[in-house]
Amino acid sequence: MAAGSAPGGSAGASAARRAQQARRQERLLREQWQAARQRAERWEAASEGEQRVAAQLLMLTERGWRLLVDRRWPGTRAANVDMLLIGPGGVFVIDVKNWRAAPETAGGRLRAGGFSRDEHRRKLLAVTKAAESAVASLGMSPVAVRPLLAFAGHRVDAELGRIRLLGEREIGPALLSERTRLSAESVRALAEHLERAFPEYEAPPAARTPDGAAGQPDAGSDGLFDLDGLRDAALDEARRAPIEQWMTFLDPDQLALVRRNWAGPARISGPAGTGKTVIALHRAAYLAQRTNGRILYVTFANNLPRVQATFLKTMAPAVADRVDFRSLHSWAQEYLRDRGVPVHLHKEKAETAFSFAWKHVGRNSCLTEIDPLHPYWREEIDYVIKGRGLTSFEEYAALPRRRRRAGLRRPHRQAVWSLYEAYEAQRTERAVHDFNDVLSLALAEAAGRTGHSAYTAVVVDEVQDLTLVGVRLLHALVGDTPNGLLLVGDGQQAVYPGGFRLSDAGIDIRGDRGQVLRANYRNSKEIVDTALSVVAEDAFEDLDGTRTPGRRDVDLTYHDGEVQRAVLPTSATHDEALITALRALTPQELAGSAVLCPSKRAIEHYQRLLTRVGLPVCALDRYDGHPVEAVKLGSYRRAKGLEFKRVYLPQHDAHLPKGTPDGPAPAETAQERAELARSQLYVAMTRARDVLWLGSVRPVQAD
């Protein structure tokens, strides 16, 4: 018995302590509740139901939230807003209901007691739009403003489109569980700004300006309502946060594009760092909040959808499950599988089929006069013939081969077409498809179907990396419907051969539906100048057919980034310098860093090296957008659409073709490969925000 008494006594003491703690917590909550009820009684004009809901919300003010009650709706004579709640979780526009019958939601409609109550839903959405406009002047995204219906006397936790429905007992816990979006300073600034934008419902005469409008900020303010200052503060706050949070920041100059009502397909372009992906993400969330259908967000790379899905869930969790983030080929395969279309994708067998075709048809043809290596001609088939959906030689014979430098006369094109036909015969004999076949099959399926689409809208990021067939496929899903198709990308950042114009896909971007961004929010002048020096001589044709110089004018908003160069005599000393630089970082700094390489072989080398010295590594193809205290490692291509506070490019100039100034001009195909290599390096350099580390190996020359 003695041996067993000690554990029993310990357990009893632990239970007593827990009970004592629970009683203290109960007393604290009771005191907070009573204080909140007393404060709520100040609004004598409010109904008892509103007072009970206000009491619940006032408890949140003890945890950094600000509550505005009974405010005037801007632009109206008599309409009011029950409550505005501003806190770490964002801005909530609250309409309090004291209905006898519980609310019901069905078919996107609001009912109670057998009657339609849709007018309340419409009014709340209209007020929310006014609140979005008010916070937009501070640089806050509209996805951070949430409409909420609070029901006194009922237990409710439901959603009606973008509107959250909560009972008086559910509202406090639900809002406390919201992820932290705003700092205490941002909450204060927003609350005071909204207090001016939504003045008291019956503002006293002293609060009126000479023209009779209540609550508008005057020109002689003390700086508290200096919108430019608040925007700058919000920008600085976002830059101090982990890079994953910075990626969801929206500048007010970009907000109009997120909220714009497009009459048809639209395109947003601009140099690296101008926030194209950020706009695309906010646009997807914005559309998901305002439509009942699903949104498809597509990009070429396999790793980006996973990262972008995390970013959107961070900034707009309420609609995250209504946006499908997919790579184009994985989505197309699933699309075909759901419709019973057989697909036999086999990369290795398709490559074997091409090798046989090259051996028997291409290797001894006139094509070797232009380029004796088969990869160039495989790219010609992948990106020019199959990538554009050509079905006859005459189409190919007359085709402008955009972004392909080598001039092909008719005999050369006939030889290419013979190689293509031989490849198709070999592939068919093996009963396999390649990646282009997947897109062509999906396009045929989409074009042959009529009626309602599964998607309300399609957002395409890095559109310049898609083939023409891929763009036609996505266009077929939504057609030219208003707000249906948004194409985001920059022709200068194309890292694959070939090209096309949007008009080739039947997409007409007219007037203001083609927007070009100019302000760079990511890179400093030193980093921009270094990156542009790589592509300065490489003029390019954009997707709208515009011929654009390699060195473009950019408006800079960030000035703290720097370029660090490490030039060493050997590969060993170069790698030691890289390790020294990475070891000097704190775990938080390492989390915002990336080592980017031009090839798979280089990635494998630095994976072994960094692991051997004990540095934590996260492969970019496994990175999902959540902060992780490890350096990211991957290829230049995998880094597209992402950004990092620090970017390290070991032996960054080793893969660039070395010209011989005194020798003959390099072949046109060599020029094309060099141009693509420079474009990829430009992409890698412009991923850096604060530090761009450039490593080089240059052996010491003997005297």
Side-chain angles (χ1 to χ4, degrees):
M1 293 295 294
S5 61
S10 176
S14 177
R17 283 195 300 272
R18 288 197 298 271
Q20 187 177 11
Q21 292 171 354
R23 285 193 293 271
R24 280 200 301 268
Q25 183 69 15
E26 181 183 4
R27 285 196 302 272
L28 177 62
L29 289 173
R30 188 181 301 115
E31 291 171 0
Q32 290 180 344
W33 169 257
Q34 290 172 350
R37 286 299 299 267
Q38 291 172 1
R39 293 169 68 185
E41 289 172 0
R42 297 176 186 174
W43 298 299
E44 296 178 356
S47 68
E48 181 181 351
E50 285 179 310
Q51 290 185 25
R52 292 202 306 270
V53 173
Q56 286 277 352
L57 298 179
L58 279 169
M59 294 178 67
L60 297 177
T61 62
E62 303 295 329
R63 304 195 183 187
W65 294 70
R66 300 279 292 270
L67 181 64
L68 306 177
V69 177
D70 202 19
R71 317 301 294 185
R72 184 164 61 83
W73 184 352
T76 66
R77 289 181 176 273
N80 75 311
V81 181
D82 284 348
M83 298 178 188
L84 292 169
L85 183 69
I86 307 97
V91 176
F92 294 84
V93 183
I94 303 174
D95 191 6
V96 181
K97 300 302 177 187
N98 197 14
W99 296 347
R100 289 186 179 182
E104 301 171 358
T105 59
R109 297 287 184 264
L110 178 64
R111 300 179 63 83
F115 296 97
S116 173
R117 301 296 181 94
D118 249 6
E119 70 275 11
H120 300 282
R121 176 181 64 87
R122 289 190 292 268
K123 176 191 172 185
L124 178 57
L125 290 175
V127 179
T128 302
K129 188 173 183 179
E132 290 173 351
S133 298
V135 303
S137 60
L138 298 184
M140 174 173 281
S141 168
V143 301
V145 182
R146 303 274 302 280
L148 195 157
L149 281 171
F151 294 91
H154 296 286
R155 299 189 69 90
V156 183
D157 189 347
E159 292 184 354
L160 180 62
R162 63 180 301 210
I163 300 177
R164 184 85 180 267
L165 285 70
L166 292 169
E168 66 178 69
R169 294 181 180 273
E170 289 77 24
I171 193 168
L175 295 179
L176 279 176
S177 66
E178 288 282 331
R179 75 165 186 88
T180 299
R181 179 189 297 274
L182 302 173
S183 67
E185 177 62 22
S186 295
V187 170
R188 182 191 67 82
L190 275 168
E192 291 172 340
H193 178 61
L194 288 172
E195 194 170 13
R196 293 288 185 96
F198 290 79
E200 291 184 10
Y201 185 49
E202 292 184 3
R208 297 186 179 274
T209 58
D211 64 358
Q216 299 299 319
D218 57 55
S221 66
D222 59 3
L224 183 62
F225 299 99
D226 175 9
L227 298 188
D228 290 336
L230 289 174
R231 281 196 294 264
D232 292 343
L235 184 58
D236 290 341
E237 180 181 325
R239 283 174 172 147
R240 288 193 298 270
I243 195 69
E244 290 81 4
Q245 184 173 334
W246 157 250
M247 284 289 289
T248 64
F249 177 80
L250 186 70
D251 186 272
D253 292 339
Q254 303 164 332
L255 185 61
L257 297 181
V258 173
R259 304 175 66 182
R260 180 163 296 185
N261 184 30
W262 305 101
R267 187 200 173 200
I268 297 174
S269 62
T274 51
K276 297 180 296 296
T277 294
V278 176
I279 292 174
L281 285 170
H282 282 83
R283 178 67 174 179
Y286 182 81
L287 292 175
Q289 287 181 338
R290 286 156 178 78
T291 62
N292 294 324
R294 300 194 65 77
I295 311 298
L296 177 62
Y297 192 110
V298 175
T299 190
F300 181 81
N302 288 323
N303 63 312
L304 269 183
R306 184 169 57 247
V307 176
Q308 291 163 334
T310 299
F311 289 165
L312 186 128
K313 189 172 183 179
T314 298
M315 69 187 191
V319 298
D321 61 346
R322 296 192 34 237
V323 182
D324 296 334
F325 287 89
R326 302 296 301 273
S327 68
L328 177 59
H329 287 95
S330 68
W331 176 86
Q333 290 180 70
E334 184 177 307
Y335 178 78
L336 292 169
R337 184 169 58 250
D338 291 345
R339 284 152 183 78
V341 179
V343 177
H344 305 288
L345 182 64
H346 200 294
K347 180 181 178 181
E348 290 75 17
K349 288 184 178 180
E351 289 175 347
T352 300
F354 181 81
S355 296
F356 270 87
W358 175 255
K359 177 180 179 181
H360 295 292
V361 176
R363 189 166 60 184
N364 297 317
S365 71
C366 62
L367 298 180
T368 57
E369 300 171 358
I370 295 175
D371 196 312
L373 302 178
H374 70 80
Y376 184 84
W377 304 111
R378 177 64 192 268
E379 291 171 352
E380 183 77 8
I381 291 173
D382 282 343
Y383 293 97
V384 180
I385 296 178
K386 300 190 75 169
R388 293 179 64 94
L390 305 183
T391 57
S392 71
F393 170 70
E394 293 307 320
E395 286 182 281
Y396 178 55
L399 183 75
R401 299 166 58 253
R402 307 193 187 283
R403 297 183 72 97
R404 300 288 273 178
R405 287 185 173 273
L408 300 185
R409 299 188 301 274
R410 189 175 180 87
H412 296 116
R413 297 202 185 207
Q414 288 174 330
V416 172
W417 196 262
S418 296
L419 177 62
Y420 159 68
E421 289 182 327
Y423 165 60
E424 287 295 281
Q426 291 284 344
R427 184 185 58 76
T428 302
E429 181 180 324
R430 289 166 174 76
V432 296
H433 294 123
D434 61 22
F435 286 105
N436 281 298
D437 295 323
V438 172
L439 300 186
S440 296
L441 289 169
L443 174 58
E445 183 69 15
R449 287 181 173 263
T450 58
H452 180 70
S453 171
Y455 294 102
T456 300
V458 175
V459 178
V460 187
D461 199 3
E462 304 290 351
V463 64
Q464 75 278 355
D465 289 338
L466 273 56
T467 62
L468 179 61
V469 171
V471 174
R472 282 175 174 163
L473 166 60
L474 297 171
H475 183 214
L477 297 180
V478 290
D480 294 330
T481 57
N483 302 315
L485 181 66
L486 177 62
L487 305 171
V488 178
D490 173 33
Q492 190 171 33
Q493 298 180 68
V495 296
Y496 297 96
F500 59 89
R501 293 178 178 176
L502 293 178
S503 58
D504 298 334
I507 299 175
D508 186 7
I509 305 297
R510 295 187 179 183
D512 68 351
R513 287 194 276 128
Q515 294 287 320
V516 181
L517 305 177
R518 303 292 184 191
N520 185 315
Y521 298 96
R522 178 195 305 154
N523 310 124
S524 68
K525 185 178 188 302
E526 186 178 2
I527 292 176
V528 168
D529 287 346
T530 301
L532 285 177
S533 68
V534 174
V535 294
E537 304 304 319
D538 297 334
F540 65 96
E541 183 181 291
D542 210 349
L543 299 184
D544 60 0
T546 303
R547 191 70 177 171
T548 307
R551 184 177 289 278
R552 290 186 281 179
D553 292 332
V554 180
D555 298 329
L556 301 177
T557 67
Y558 188 55
H559 308 285
D560 294 337
E562 63 173 325
V563 177
Q564 299 176 357
R565 297 182 183 272
V567 182
L568 284 305
T570 66
S571 295
T573 55
H574 167 280
D575 290 351
E576 288 175 6
L578 174 63
I579 292 171
T580 299
L582 293 174
R583 277 179 164 168
L585 302 179
T586 66
Q588 293 75 22
E589 290 172 335
L590 201 66
S593 302
V595 174
L596 304 180
C597 306
S599 66
K600 181 179 179 181
R601 184 175 182 179
I603 293 171
E604 292 172 347
H605 167 73
Y606 286 104
Q607 174 76 50
R608 292 191 298 269
L609 177 64
L610 299 182
T611 302
R612 187 167 64 244
V613 299
L615 284 166
V617 176
C618 173
L620 269 187
D621 56 6
R622 296 183 181 180
Y623 173 56
D624 64 359
H626 288 99
V628 54
E629 291 184 352
V631 62
K632 314 304 183 300
L633 174 65
S635 69
Y636 294 172
R637 290 176 176 177
R638 289 282 188 188
K640 294 199 72 175
L642 302 175
E643 61 183 75
F644 307 93
K645 292 184 178 181
R646 296 166 182 81
V647 169
Y648 298 81
L649 304 182
Q651 298 199 42
H652 75 286
D653 49 358
H655 74 294
L656 295 178
K658 304 295 190 297
T660 54
D662 298 329
E668 291 175 322
T669 57
Q671 288 182 350
E672 188 176 321
R673 283 192 289 269
E675 189 173 307
L676 277 175
R678 289 191 292 269
S679 180
Q680 292 168 10
L681 178 58
Y682 168 78
V683 167
M685 287 180 167
T686 54
R687 302 308 96 192
R689 202 191 77 187
D690 296 334
V691 173
L692 173 60
W693 188 92
L694 300 177
S696 301
V697 175
R698 296 178 189 169
V700 177
Q701 299 294 327
D703 292 336

